Amino acid sequence: MKSMSRIEASKCRTTHLKLNRDYRQVQSTYRNLTSAVRRKQELVAAQMQDRENKEKCAREGAKSANQLQLNMRMQEEALDEQIMRERETEIRHINKSMHQVNEIFKVRSYLLTFHSIK
């Protein structure tokens, strides 16, 4: 570079900068393309897996569908039973509380009657 004139050195630097910029642009494009290819490959793999799952379900047929429905019904019934047990417990608690309130009013009535007699 020392033996080059300023104009030649300037041209070399400009060329170098342009080549650097072009290289970075190509590198960025390459990364984007490889990323896009990877995403497409993952999508194709997911589609193939989905297709295989659908074919498997079709082969197993109504048996697995009926089993699934039966399992869902059993889960719903178990949930319903649990809710009924909880409600029954709450109703018993409310009933017990009402009897306690009733006893309180009986005692209150007795005390009021007793005080009014005196």
Side-chain angles (χ1 to χ4, degrees):
M1 279 252 199
K2 290 184 178 183
S3 64
M4 289 188 210
S5 69
R6 288 186 149 185
I7 295 174
E8 289 175 342
S10 176
K11 286 180 182 179
C12 285
R13 271 182 283 201
T14 305
T15 304
H16 178 70
L17 290 173
K18 184 180 181 317
L19 287 173
N20 247 350
R21 187 178 55 240
D22 290 346
Y23 173 75
R24 286 190 186 111
Q25 186 177 12
V26 168
Q27 192 177 29
S28 175
T29 303
Y30 174 76
R31 283 187 201 132
N32 292 340
L33 287 173
T34 55
S35 176
V37 167
R38 191 177 326 112
R39 282 193 306 269
K40 286 183 181 182
Q41 287 173 338
E42 290 171 355
L43 177 64
V44 168
Q47 288 173 342
M48 288 177 62
Q49 182 68 33
D50 188 45
R51 189 178 313 124
E52 288 173 5
N53 288 341
K54 286 180 181 179
E55 289 172 0
K56 182 179 177 183
C57 287
R59 283 190 305 256
E60 290 177 0
K63 180 180 176 183
S64 64
N66 289 338
Q67 185 66 31
L68 181 62
Q69 287 178 348
L70 180 63
N71 287 342
M72 288 177 60
R73 284 183 192 152
M74 290 173 62
Q75 288 175 353
E76 288 174 357
E77 288 176 8
L79 181 63
D80 289 344
E81 288 177 15
Q82 178 67 26
I83 290 171
M84 285 175 29
R85 276 189 239 113
E86 289 176 7
R87 286 181 180 171
E88 185 178 341
T89 303
E90 288 298 318
I91 289 171
R92 286 186 181 170
H93 179 71
I94 290 170
N95 191 17
K96 183 179 177 182
S97 297
M98 287 177 61
H99 282 293
Q100 289 174 344
V101 169
N102 190 22
E103 288 297 318
I104 292 171
F105 277 112
K106 283 182 183 178
V107 170
R108 181 177 171 256
S109 174
Y110 172 75
L111 290 174
L112 288 174
T113 304
F114 181 74
H115 283 300
S116 65
I117 293 175
K118 286 186 171 181

XYZ file of all heavy atoms in Angstrom, residues 74-108:
303
model
N -66.822 -41.709 32.017
C -66.449 -42.136 33.357
C -65.843 -40.979 34.150
O -66.132 -40.814 35.340
C -65.473 -43.313 33.282
C -66.124 -44.594 32.797
S -64.964 -45.943 32.521
C -64.297 -46.184 34.135
N -65.034 -40.162 33.486
C -64.452 -39.004 34.160
C -65.528 -38.001 34.549
O -65.505 -37.433 35.640
C -63.414 -38.341 33.265
C -62.145 -39.132 33.109
C -61.185 -38.508 32.110
O -61.515 -37.536 31.430
N -59.985 -39.076 32.016
N -66.488 -37.790 33.643
C -67.589 -36.865 33.944
C -68.413 -37.375 35.114
O -68.804 -36.604 35.995
C -68.473 -36.681 32.708
C -67.831 -35.861 31.616
C -68.682 -35.828 30.347
O -69.742 -36.490 30.303
O -68.277 -35.128 29.397
N -68.696 -38.686 35.138
C -69.474 -39.261 36.235
C -68.724 -39.146 37.557
O -69.314 -38.826 38.589
C -69.816 -40.725 35.936
C -70.864 -40.886 34.856
C -71.131 -42.347 34.505
O -70.618 -43.241 35.208
O -71.850 -42.579 33.525
N -67.426 -39.386 37.533
C -66.629 -39.253 38.753
C -66.648 -37.813 39.251
O -66.765 -37.558 40.452
C -65.200 -39.713 38.500
N -66.556 -36.863 38.323
C -66.622 -35.452 38.691
C -67.987 -35.100 39.261
O -68.085 -34.409 40.286
C -66.305 -34.579 37.476
C -66.313 -33.073 37.700
C -65.219 -32.681 38.693
C -66.112 -32.343 36.396
N -69.052 -35.600 38.618
C -70.408 -35.348 39.115
C -70.588 -35.908 40.523
O -71.188 -35.262 41.392
C -71.443 -35.958 38.164
C -71.543 -35.206 36.845
O -71.058 -34.059 36.781
O -72.108 -35.776 35.883
N -70.081 -37.120 40.772
C -70.183 -37.725 42.098
C -69.435 -36.891 43.134
O -69.925 -36.690 44.249
C -69.641 -39.154 42.080
C -70.530 -40.142 41.355
C -69.926 -41.530 41.286
O -68.959 -41.812 42.031
O -70.426 -42.341 40.489
N -68.269 -36.407 42.765
C -67.486 -35.576 43.682
C -68.246 -34.298 44.010
O -68.302 -33.879 45.173
C -66.118 -35.244 43.065
C -65.254 -34.358 43.916
C -64.802 -35.033 45.193
O -64.720 -36.246 45.255
N -64.539 -34.255 46.211
N -68.834 -33.673 43.007
C -69.607 -32.445 43.226
C -70.802 -32.732 44.117
O -71.109 -31.965 45.038
C -70.053 -31.841 41.869
C -68.839 -31.289 41.129
C -71.083 -30.742 42.078
C -69.123 -30.872 39.694
N -71.479 -33.864 43.880
C -72.636 -34.223 44.712
C -72.210 -34.433 46.160
O -72.906 -33.992 47.088
C -73.329 -35.472 44.152
C -74.133 -35.190 42.902
S -74.878 -36.615 42.058
C -75.182 -37.798 43.299
N -71.076 -35.102 46.382
C -70.585 -35.314 47.750
C -70.280 -33.987 48.432
O -70.629 -33.783 49.600
C -69.343 -36.202 47.737
C -69.693 -37.674 47.705
C -68.443 -38.537 47.916
N -68.332 -39.390 46.728
C -67.402 -39.334 45.818
N -66.406 -38.501 45.942
N -67.425 -40.126 44.768
N -69.649 -33.082 47.703
C -69.340 -31.769 48.271
C -70.619 -31.013 48.619
O -70.718 -30.395 49.686
C -68.497 -30.958 47.295
C -67.080 -31.446 47.147
C -66.292 -30.684 46.096
O -66.802 -29.678 45.564
O -65.146 -31.100 45.815
N -71.598 -31.055 47.733
C -72.874 -30.369 47.996
C -73.572 -30.983 49.198
O -74.127 -30.269 50.033
C -73.778 -30.441 46.757
C -73.333 -29.532 45.652
C -74.249 -29.619 44.464
N -73.798 -28.738 43.394
C -74.302 -28.725 42.186
N -75.288 -29.555 41.863
N -73.848 -27.892 41.275
N -73.565 -32.313 49.279
C -74.200 -32.984 50.409
C -73.533 -32.584 51.719
O -74.207 -32.313 52.715
C -74.122 -34.506 50.228
C -74.859 -35.279 51.292
C -74.805 -36.774 51.049
O -74.517 -37.201 49.917
O -75.059 -37.508 52.010
N -72.210 -32.499 51.721
C -71.480 -32.083 52.916
C -71.863 -30.658 53.305
O -72.104 -30.367 54.489
C -69.955 -32.171 52.671
O -69.631 -33.501 52.291
C -69.167 -31.774 53.892
N -71.943 -29.783 52.319
C -72.326 -28.388 52.593
C -73.763 -28.304 53.108
O -74.053 -27.528 54.028
C -72.155 -27.527 51.340
C -70.713 -27.260 50.971
C -69.973 -26.487 52.043
O -70.536 -25.530 52.615
O -68.821 -26.856 52.325
N -74.651 -29.091 52.530
C -76.050 -29.087 52.982
C -76.124 -29.564 54.425
O -76.859 -28.987 55.243
C -76.931 -29.950 52.054
C -77.092 -29.236 50.697
C -78.288 -30.223 52.677
C -77.753 -30.080 49.638
N -75.379 -30.602 54.765
C -75.365 -31.088 56.157
C -74.813 -30.005 57.087
O -75.323 -29.820 58.199
C -74.543 -32.359 56.259
C -75.258 -33.536 55.681
C -74.510 -34.803 55.907
N -75.268 -35.911 55.293
C -74.799 -37.107 55.152
N -73.596 -37.416 55.566
N -75.543 -38.051 54.586
N -73.799 -29.302 56.641
C -73.225 -28.224 57.447
C -74.254 -27.111 57.657
O -74.413 -26.595 58.781
C -71.966 -27.675 56.772
C -71.325 -26.555 57.506
N -70.664 -26.735 58.686
C -71.261 -25.226 57.224
C -70.216 -25.571 59.119
N -70.560 -24.642 58.246
N -74.958 -26.755 56.603
C -76.000 -25.719 56.707
C -77.107 -26.192 57.643
O -77.592 -25.430 58.494
C -76.559 -25.376 55.312
C -75.503 -24.635 54.498
C -77.836 -24.539 55.417
C -75.859 -24.462 53.032
N -77.510 -27.466 57.514
C -78.561 -28.026 58.374
C -78.135 -27.972 59.838
O -78.915 -27.583 60.717
C -78.861 -29.462 57.948
C -80.101 -30.009 58.606
O -80.917 -29.270 59.135
N -80.244 -31.326 58.580
N -76.893 -28.347 60.116
C -76.371 -28.314 61.481
C -76.378 -26.883 62.017
O -76.776 -26.633 63.155
C -74.961 -28.884 61.505
C -74.354 -28.954 62.869
C -72.962 -29.556 62.807
C -72.297 -29.575 64.169
N -70.934 -30.100 64.118
N -75.963 -25.933 61.173
C -75.951 -24.528 61.581
C -77.362 -24.030 61.862
O -77.585 -23.281 62.827
C -75.310 -23.664 60.499
O -73.971 -24.024 60.314
N -78.322 -24.445 61.057
C -79.713 -24.030 61.274
C -80.236 -24.586 62.601
O -80.944 -23.891 63.336
C -80.597 -24.486 60.106
C -80.364 -23.692 58.839
S -81.323 -24.266 57.433
C -82.975 -24.030 58.002
N -79.881 -25.822 62.937
C -80.301 -26.393 64.219
C -79.672 -25.626 65.385
O -80.335 -25.390 66.404
C -79.927 -27.886 64.297
C -80.846 -28.765 63.528
N -82.170 -28.956 63.889
C -80.657 -29.505 62.411
C -82.749 -29.780 63.036
N -81.850 -30.135 62.110
N -78.414 -25.206 65.219
C -77.769 -24.418 66.262
C -78.474 -23.072 66.432
O -78.709 -22.622 67.563
C -76.292 -24.204 65.935
C -75.452 -25.445 66.071
C -74.010 -25.247 65.607
O -73.697 -24.280 64.911
N -73.150 -26.185 65.983
N -78.826 -22.441 65.318
C -79.547 -21.164 65.378
C -80.908 -21.378 66.033
O -81.354 -20.575 66.872
C -79.698 -20.546 63.970
C -80.667 -19.372 63.988
C -78.347 -20.131 63.426
N -81.562 -22.479 65.698
C -82.863 -22.803 66.294
C -82.718 -22.958 67.813
O -83.553 -22.443 68.573
C -83.424 -24.082 65.671
C -84.860 -24.334 66.067
O -85.573 -23.423 66.461
N -85.271 -25.587 65.972
N -81.674 -23.640 68.258
C -81.443 -23.807 69.701
C -81.186 -22.463 70.362
O -81.684 -22.195 71.471
C -80.258 -24.752 69.936
C -80.549 -26.197 69.636
C -81.628 -26.777 70.531
O -81.623 -26.508 71.754
O -82.495 -27.485 69.994
N -80.444 -21.605 69.697
C -80.178 -20.268 70.246
C -81.477 -19.499 70.424
O -81.713 -18.857 71.464
C -79.188 -19.496 69.348
C -77.809 -20.143 69.423
C -79.117 -18.018 69.735
C -76.811 -19.606 68.415
N -82.365 -19.567 69.429
C -83.648 -18.862 69.545
C -84.519 -19.465 70.637
O -85.236 -18.751 71.330
C -84.384 -18.864 68.201
C -83.918 -17.773 67.275
C -83.228 -18.074 66.116
C -84.177 -16.437 67.575
C -82.806 -17.073 65.271
C -83.759 -15.432 66.726
C -83.063 -15.743 65.570
N -84.462 -20.765 70.837
C -85.236 -21.406 71.918
C -84.745 -20.921 73.280
O -85.542 -20.569 74.150
C -85.107 -22.926 71.835
C -85.943 -23.561 70.757
C -85.782 -25.079 70.783
C -86.566 -25.739 69.666
N -86.374 -27.192 69.646
N -83.409 -20.866 73.419
C -82.840 -20.383 74.679
C -83.200 -18.924 74.877
O -83.581 -18.496 75.980
C -81.304 -20.601 74.705
C -80.680 -19.886 75.892
C -80.981 -22.070 74.729
N -83.128 -18.147 73.826
C -83.476 -16.723 73.900
C -84.934 -16.565 74.300
O -85.275 -15.735 75.166
C -83.214 -16.065 72.551
C -83.518 -14.596 72.529
C -83.161 -14.008 71.173
N -83.631 -12.659 71.073
C -84.690 -12.263 70.391
N -85.378 -13.125 69.706
N -85.051 -11.003 70.374
